[in-house]
């Protein structure tokens, strides 16, 4: 109970913190819409001020005000009485400026125009983009780990860095609150990150330093903040602020380097490498090209606007580590187009930064966005061209050669889309040809239980030595038998005959790892084929039941049997994954004999990653086969899980509406039917519909439930209703509805989309809702 209360308090703290950050961001964004004037003035006489310096991105330079011009009035008051001139010797926040040059007076209205386009980019667009990007990464971290101290600190650090980025542009305009915020977050950001490092590795029992350096970092951070308030000099060229920042950063990087040494033989070293690189790439330009030259030479090598852009490496690095499970275990799928767009965006940003670093004195600001856009489009085009070239040249590039774990994963993903035994068998053949160096592969069917006589067999002559060696021996599914460079792999047993894959290798023999991979591949294929046969048998029984008459009890019985088969199949999947674990066990045995420590650690790290993949795939497969979350979290939450996955995997816009707030108190077969219907709708929408928009409605109507699906996709032609390949899901939905005494109406035509409406009555005695209090 105490732990739950603490978790709730931590969640409330995060929510309150995010709310504060959001309010400050809104304040900064609203005030940032006024242009940065960028004009420094110096007093010539008691009442005379002239322009002494102009910022290259400022409004004043773009408005053709020159150094030496006399500033007469600012917002209808003498320039010497203007607040920012009195405090900083700069003109900022003004609406009107009167300037005298060679006896002629000019009145300027301060507003945004096309000549200060770079201000949009550096002071508005990039800070806003960074805040949105950081918020997205923070949301992912929060959804995965809402209460762990390390996750809370990482969220706080990420959002504070975004606040530092936004406030830096407003602080240039001498906004007092922004100046104060910038100093605070400038010093707290590395300190919070240091605190995150401590808790993250402590949670994994891998820490290498105590909390004392953390306390010292906070001490220096608050020392710098207090000194800036006392001196009333709250800019980043305050020497005390810069000194405290450098001390914190040096301490942080010293501890990170110590960690690299301390954890060099640990599998978690990859995570530390990623953290070190992302933070280093983000802060090194700011530290060594801006702060250090500013302290030593009096002026930076690159402007702060360019140095700030490197901060994008922080959320990008953490996002990469989340996706690759190097930070927290968080699996999600990314569609190809968004993935390529992210890669193209990051690459284009780097190229644009390099371009600006080399030419920022001469580059006109209005050229930056077109340059970035052109680089982005060309990079995106290149990625798609490369994908096609990889497809056509894969047999020459050997991109999959020797990558056995990736091959098994790719094959298991491909099995989700194969719809016949022949497609599954040829998928195995294709995978073998991509991974192994082969001379020839052949699929031979209608072979008995034993190896045939080579003189009376339809097996190609190249395999004659293999048949002679093993003539009369029994075939076993998944058991690879071979001699020299010739091998036979039994894939399936159907209607009294084996289907065998024969392989002729270029090399002399299979390695132990190749043998285990090939055996696992055969087991996967056999499991997929058995599953396909069971589905076909089920469809035949349903068709037979339809010819007998309208017997609802028979359909319901068949679907009870179908769900039981899914449970059995889930168990079988567990057993097949044992093959992968056996491979890993053998590799662990081999590691024990390894004498080279570096090779041993690299192998152990690879094994750890493979174990994570196996665990994740088992969970995903079992959830798909039998959704235990239906009983764990309820029908509506389970459907929301399906919808969230669909939105990650599909480019179609999905709208879901229901008036059921909690869960239906109905028998499991009704809730299972609703869940499976929605699941089938989403699968069809993702794989076949090619729709821009999808709508699903689930409504309680008192004595029955209404389910409605609609999309604007390619629809189904009338002559395709009864083909198994395209309509197996539709037949399944019809039989489920029929088994529960429901009604179904389908409206569709080619290029007219699909609309399906289903009504299923509630069983007698069932209540509509189950409240949270009843759940206990």
């Amino acid at each position: 109970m105490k732990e739950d209360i603490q978790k709730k308090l931590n969640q409330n703290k995060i929510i309150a913190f995010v709310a504060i950050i959001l309010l400050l961001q809104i304040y900064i964004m609203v005030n940032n819409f006024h242009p940065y004037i960028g004009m420094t003035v110096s007093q010539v006489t008691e009442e005379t001020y002239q322009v002494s310096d102009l910022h290259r991105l400022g409004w004043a330079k773009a408005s053709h005000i020159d150094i030496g011009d006399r500033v007469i009035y600012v917002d209808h008051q003498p320039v010497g009485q203007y607040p920012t001139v009195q405090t900083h010797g700069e003109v900022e926040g003004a609406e009107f400026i009167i300037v005298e040059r060679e006896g002629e007076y000019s009145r300027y209205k301060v507003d945004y125009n096309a000549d200060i386009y770079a201000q949009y980019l550096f002071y508005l667009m990039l800070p806003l983009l960074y805040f949105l990007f950081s918020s997205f990464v923070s949301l992912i971290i929060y959804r995965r780990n809402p209460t762990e101290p390390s996750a809370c600190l990482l969220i706080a650090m990420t959002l504070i860095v975004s606040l530092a980025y936004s406030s830096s542009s407003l602080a240039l305009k001498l906004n007092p609150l922004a100046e104060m915020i910038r100093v605070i977050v400038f010093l707290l950001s590395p300190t919070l990150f240091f605190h995150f490092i401590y808790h993250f590795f402590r949670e994994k029992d891998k820490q290498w330093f105590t909390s004392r350096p953390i306390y010292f970092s906070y001490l220096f951070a608050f020392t710098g903040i207090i000194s800036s308030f006392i001196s009333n000099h709250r800019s980043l060229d305050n020497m005390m602020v810069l000194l405290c920042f450098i001390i914190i950063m040096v301490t942080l990087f010293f501890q990170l380097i110590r960690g690299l040494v301390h954890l060099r033989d640990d599998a978690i070293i990859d995570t530390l490498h990623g953290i070190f690189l992302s933070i280093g790439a983000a802060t090194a330009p700011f530290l060594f090209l801006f702060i250090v030259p500013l302290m030593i030479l009096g002026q930076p090598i690159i402007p702060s606007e360019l140095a700030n852009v490197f901060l994008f490496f922080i959320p990008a690095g953490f996002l990469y580590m989340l996706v690759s499970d190097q930070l927290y275990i968080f699996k999600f799928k990314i569609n190809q187009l968004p993935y390529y767009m992210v890669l193209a965006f990051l690459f284009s940003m780097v190229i644009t930064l390099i371009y600006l670093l080399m030419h920022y004195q001469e580059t006109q600001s209005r050229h930056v966005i077109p340059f970035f856009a052109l680089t982005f489009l060309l990079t995106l085009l290149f990625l798609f061209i490369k994908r096609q070239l990889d497809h056509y040249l894969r047999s020459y590039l050997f991109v999959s050669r020797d990558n056995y774990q990736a091959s098994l994963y790719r094959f298991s993903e491909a099995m989700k889309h194969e719809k016949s035994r022949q497609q599954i068998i040829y998928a195995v053949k294709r995978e073998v040809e991509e991974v192994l160096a082969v001379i020839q592969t052949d699929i031979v069917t209608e072979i008995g239980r034993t190896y045939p006589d080579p003189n009376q067999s339809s097996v190609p002559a190249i395999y004659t030595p293999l048949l002679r060696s093993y003539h009369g021996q029994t075939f076993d599914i998944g058991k690879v038998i071979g001699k020299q460079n010739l091998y036979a792999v039994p894939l399936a047993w159907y209607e009294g005959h084996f289907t065998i894959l024969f392989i002729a290798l270029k090399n002399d023999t299979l390695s132990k790892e190749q043998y285990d991979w090939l055996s696992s591949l055969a087991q996967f294929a056999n499991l997929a084929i058995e599953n396909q046969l069971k589905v076909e048998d089920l469809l035949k029984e349903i068709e037979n039941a339809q010819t007998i008459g309208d017997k609802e009890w028979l359909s319901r019985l068949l679907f009870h049997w179908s769900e039981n088969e899914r449970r059995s199949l889930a168990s079988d999947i567990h057993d097949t994954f044992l093959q992968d674990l056996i491979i890993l066990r053998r590799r662990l045995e081999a590691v024990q004999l390894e004498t080279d420590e570096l090779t041993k650690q690299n192998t152990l790290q690879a094994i750890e990653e493979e174990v994570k993949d196996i665990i994740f795939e088992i969970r995903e497969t079992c959830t798909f086969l039998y959704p235990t979350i239906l009983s764990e979290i309820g029908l509506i939450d389970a459907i929301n899980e399906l919808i969230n996955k669909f939105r990650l995997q599909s480019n179609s816009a999905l709208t879901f509406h229901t008036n059921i707030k909690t869960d239906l108190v109905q028998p499991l077969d009704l809730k299972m039917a609703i869940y499976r219907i929605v699941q089938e709708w989403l699968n069809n929408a993702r794989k076949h519909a090619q729709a821009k928009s999808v709508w699903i409605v689930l409504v309680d109507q008192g004595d029955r439930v209404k389910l409605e699906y609609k999309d604007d996709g390619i629809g189904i032609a009338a002559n395709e209703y009864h083909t198994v390949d395209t309509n197996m899901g539709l037949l399944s939905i019809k039989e489920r509805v029929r088994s529960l005494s429901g009604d179904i109406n389908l409206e569709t035509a080619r290029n007219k989309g699909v609309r399906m409406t289903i009504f299923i009555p509630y069983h007698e005695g069932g209540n509509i809702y189950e409240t949270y209090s009843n759940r206990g």
Side-chain angles (χ1 to χ4, degrees):
M1 185 66 179
K2 184 182 293 185
E3 184 178 352
D4 292 337
I5 293 175
Q6 186 62 42
K7 287 183 178 180
K8 189 66 175 177
L9 288 174
N10 289 340
Q11 291 178 353
N12 291 336
K13 289 178 182 177
I14 293 177
I15 293 172
F17 177 81
V18 171
I20 293 172
I21 294 293
L22 182 60
L23 290 174
L24 290 174
Q25 287 283 3
I26 293 173
Y27 171 82
I28 290 171
M29 289 297 173
V30 169
N31 285 274
N32 249 337
F33 280 106
H34 193 277
Y36 169 50
I37 297 175
M39 182 169 64
T40 303
V41 296
S42 58
Q43 188 173 11
V44 180
T45 64
E46 184 176 349
E47 297 181 354
T48 305
Y49 287 80
Q50 68 178 16
V51 178
S52 60
D53 191 22
L54 294 171
H55 193 281
R56 64 176 297 271
L57 298 182
W59 168 89
K61 188 174 183 64
S63 300
H64 307 293
I65 296 176
D66 296 330
I67 294 177
D69 290 348
R70 292 177 57 201
V71 182
I72 307 301
Y73 286 99
V74 179
D75 286 351
H76 307 293
Q77 58 182 310
V79 63
Q81 299 177 14
Y82 194 72
T84 60
V85 174
Q86 292 179 339
T87 56
H88 294 81
E90 300 177 24
V91 177
E92 291 296 339
E95 298 291 337
F96 298 95
I97 299 175
I98 297 178
V99 176
E100 184 263 329
R101 181 190 303 168
E102 298 179 354
E104 295 185 2
Y105 292 86
S106 301
R107 184 176 184 271
Y108 294 89
K109 177 177 172 48
V110 181
D111 56 5
Y112 270 111
N113 56 69
D115 292 327
I116 55 172
Y117 196 75
Q119 286 200 32
Y120 283 106
L121 174 65
F122 288 108
Y123 301 152
L124 289 175
M125 295 170 61
L126 287 178
L128 178 60
L129 181 62
Y130 187 88
F131 172 66
L132 295 175
F133 190 17
S134 300
S135 300
F136 171 70
V137 175
S138 299
L139 179 62
I140 293 176
I141 298 170
Y142 177 77
R143 291 184 63 181
R144 175 59 187 88
N145 299 279
T147 57
E148 290 183 8
S150 65
C152 297
L153 287 166
L154 183 56
I155 292 171
M157 187 275 294
T158 304
L159 293 178
I160 275 188
V161 172
S162 73
L163 190 62
Y165 194 177
S166 300
S167 63
S168 63
S169 58
L170 186 57
L172 284 175
K173 302 170 186 178
L174 305 182
N175 180 286
L177 180 59
E179 289 183 306
M180 181 173 63
I181 292 173
R182 183 171 66 158
V183 171
I184 293 173
V185 298
F186 178 70
L187 292 171
L188 282 183
S189 298
T191 308
L192 284 172
F193 175 71
F194 201 0
H195 203 170
F196 155 74
I197 292 291
Y198 171 76
H199 273 289
F200 179 80
F201 288 95
R202 183 184 181 187
E203 289 163 6
K204 299 183 181 298
D205 198 24
K206 304 289 184 181
Q207 67 187 96
W208 64 91
F209 62 95
T210 65
S211 59
R212 184 175 298 175
I214 306 294
Y215 297 140
F216 278 112
S217 296
Y218 278 112
L219 178 62
F220 279 110
F222 285 113
T223 299
I225 293 171
I226 293 171
S227 69
S228 70
F229 289 164
I230 293 175
S231 65
N232 199 29
H233 183 48
R234 298 179 186 134
S235 63
L236 294 188
D237 56 359
N238 185 321
M239 296 303 295
M240 190 62 185
V241 172
L242 293 177
L243 182 62
C244 290
F245 179 80
I246 289 177
I247 292 174
I248 295 171
M249 293 300 296
V250 169
T251 306
L252 170 60
F253 277 100
F254 173 74
Q255 292 297 344
L256 288 176
I257 293 171
R258 280 192 61 210
L260 292 174
V261 176
H262 180 77
L263 300 173
R264 63 183 181 277
D265 297 328
D266 197 292
I268 205 172
I269 190 68
D270 286 340
T271 299
L272 189 56
H273 276 140
I275 293 174
F276 190 87
L277 289 175
S278 61
I279 296 300
T283 58
F286 188 78
L287 191 61
F288 297 108
L289 298 180
F290 182 79
I291 290 183
V292 173
L294 184 63
M295 295 182 66
I296 299 175
L297 304 176
Q299 63 180 15
I301 296 175
I302 64 173
S304 60
E305 297 86 12
L306 292 183
N308 286 338
V309 178
F310 286 91
L311 292 174
F312 275 89
F313 282 103
I314 295 177
F318 285 116
L319 181 61
Y320 169 78
M321 285 187 284
L322 282 169
V323 173
S324 59
D325 282 347
Q326 292 184 19
L327 195 62
Y328 300 109
I329 298 177
F330 186 90
K331 287 284 186 180
F332 61 93
K333 295 184 178 180
I334 307 174
N335 288 330
Q336 192 174 73
L337 178 60
Y339 173 63
Y340 282 173
M341 290 181 68
V342 169
L343 291 180
F345 176 83
L346 294 177
F347 178 76
S348 302
M349 181 169 287
V350 171
I351 295 299
T352 305
L353 278 175
I354 295 173
Y355 174 73
L356 288 173
L357 286 173
M358 295 176 63
H359 304 285
Y360 78 92
Q361 291 290 352
E362 297 83 12
T363 302
Q364 294 185 12
S365 59
R366 68 185 68 184
H367 296 161
V368 175
I369 294 297
F371 178 84
F372 173 83
L374 180 62
T375 306
F376 174 80
L377 292 175
L378 290 176
T379 305
L380 193 63
L381 178 63
F382 169 77
L383 290 173
F384 277 100
I385 292 175
K386 177 185 178 300
R387 173 180 173 272
Q388 293 300 320
L389 289 176
D390 287 346
H391 174 73
Y392 291 121
L393 302 176
R394 64 183 184 273
S395 59
Y396 303 99
L397 296 173
F398 306 110
V399 293
S400 298
R401 199 59 49 86
D402 299 328
N403 196 348
Y404 306 114
Q405 185 62 37
S407 168
L408 291 175
Y409 177 79
R410 182 172 58 248
F411 180 76
S412 64
E413 287 293 308
M415 288 304 95
K416 298 177 182 178
H417 309 289
E418 306 298 352
K419 299 177 181 178
S420 68
R421 296 189 305 276
Q422 186 178 16
Q423 289 177 345
I424 294 170
I425 290 169
Y426 277 94
V428 178
K429 182 175 183 289
R430 182 175 61 248
E431 196 67 33
V432 169
E433 290 172 347
E434 287 194 5
V435 175
L436 299 179
V438 300
I439 299 173
Q440 180 177 331
T441 58
D442 295 277
I443 300 291
V444 181
T445 58
E446 298 186 0
I447 294 182
R449 291 189 176 275
T450 61
Y451 279 81
D453 186 339
N455 299 322
Q456 303 175 356
S457 172
S458 59
V459 179
I462 190 175
Y463 305 107
T464 298
L466 176 67
L467 298 182
R468 285 176 180 170
S469 299
Y470 295 97
H471 174 53
Q473 293 192 26
T474 304
F475 285 113
D476 290 320
I477 294 293
K479 183 178 181 181
V480 181
I481 293 181
K483 184 178 179 64
Q484 295 179 351
N485 66 326
L486 302 176
Y487 291 87
V489 186
L491 298 179
W493 171 260
Y494 179 66
E495 295 183 350
H497 296 94
F498 272 105
T499 297
I500 311 294
L501 171 64
F502 286 93
I503 305 170
L505 298 176
K506 293 180 181 179
N507 301 324
D508 291 338
T509 184
L510 288 174
S511 67
K512 184 178 180 181
E513 191 174 16
Q514 290 171 333
Y515 182 93
D516 291 335
W517 164 78
L518 194 55
S519 177
S520 298
L521 193 67
Q523 293 283 6
F524 277 24
N526 179 62
L527 182 63
I529 292 170
E530 285 185 357
N531 184 26
Q532 183 71 26
L533 292 175
K534 289 178 179 179
V535 172
E536 291 178 1
D537 290 341
L538 176 61
L539 290 175
K540 289 179 181 178
E541 292 188 41
I542 292 173
E543 291 174 359
N544 292 335
Q546 287 178 327
T547 59
I548 295 173
D550 187 15
K551 297 183 178 180
E552 297 171 359
W553 64 269
L554 179 58
S555 294
R556 190 173 301 178
L557 179 63
L558 287 173
F559 278 104
H560 275 300
W561 174 84
S562 173
E563 296 303 332
N564 288 332
E565 284 300 304
R566 288 179 181 271
R567 295 189 189 98
S568 176
L569 187 57
S571 177
D572 290 340
I573 291 289
H574 279 282
D575 293 339
T576 58
F577 280 112
L578 280 176
Q579 298 296 324
D580 286 343
L581 296 176
I582 290 171
I583 296 173
L584 295 178
R585 182 181 64 81
R586 290 173 178 171
R587 291 179 63 185
L588 285 171
E589 291 174 352
V591 168
Q592 294 177 0
L593 303 177
E594 180 62 55
T595 57
D596 183 69
E597 285 297 323
L598 181 59
T599 303
K600 181 185 292 187
Q601 292 304 320
N602 290 337
T603 305
L604 288 174
Q605 291 174 20
I607 290 174
E608 182 183 8
E609 293 301 317
E610 292 174 14
V611 169
K612 289 180 181 178
D613 289 338
I614 292 172
I615 292 171
F616 176 73
E617 287 304 315
I618 288 175
R619 287 173 178 169
E620 287 291 300
T621 303
C622 291
T623 300
F624 178 79
L625 291 171
Y626 184 71
T628 56
I629 60 171
L630 202 59
S631 57
E632 294 173 356
I633 65 175
L635 175 63
I636 302 303
D637 288 339
I639 290 176
N640 282 325
E641 287 284 332
L642 291 176
I643 289 170
N644 291 335
K645 289 182 180 179
F646 176 86
R647 285 171 174 159
L648 288 173
Q649 297 171 358
S650 174
N651 293 324
S652 301
L654 173 62
T655 301
F656 173 66
H657 169 74
T658 181
N659 68 343
I660 302 173
K661 302 301 182 183
T662 55
D663 195 20
L664 292 171
V665 181
Q666 294 292 334
L668 181 61
D669 59 346
L670 174 61
K671 292 193 285 188
M672 183 67 73
I674 295 172
Y675 180 86
R676 291 296 188 196
I677 289 169
V678 174
Q679 185 181 49
E680 192 60 47
W681 279 344
L682 295 177
N683 285 339
N684 287 336
R686 180 170 57 87
K687 296 178 183 178
H688 307 300
Q690 300 179 26
K692 294 181 180 179
S693 300
V694 177
W695 296 267
I696 293 179
V697 177
L698 174 60
V699 180
D700 163 53
Q701 294 186 333
D703 59 344
R704 64 181 182 176
V705 62
K706 174 187 176 183
L707 297 91
E708 185 174 5
Y709 168 89
K710 184 172 67 171
D711 69 46
D712 57 1
I714 60 174
I716 306 173
N719 59 358
E720 295 178 352
Y721 284 171
H722 304 292
T723 59
V724 173
D725 284 348
T726 61
N727 205 28
M728 186 183 300
L730 179 58
L731 177 60
S732 172
I733 291 174
K734 286 182 177 179
E735 290 303 322
R736 284 189 185 275
V737 174
R738 185 171 172 270
S739 71
L740 294 168
S741 305
D743 297 319
I744 182 170
N745 179 49
L746 175 65
E747 301 174 15
T748 182
R750 176 59 66 185
N751 298 323
K752 297 295 183 180
V754 173
R755 180 169 185 171
M756 184 181 295
T757 306
I758 296 172
F759 296 95
I760 303 177
Y762 292 129
H763 294 187
E764 292 184 2
N767 296 321
I768 302 303
Y769 298 116
E770 173 189 31
T771 63
Y772 286 109
S773 59
N774 290 335
R775 291 185 188 182

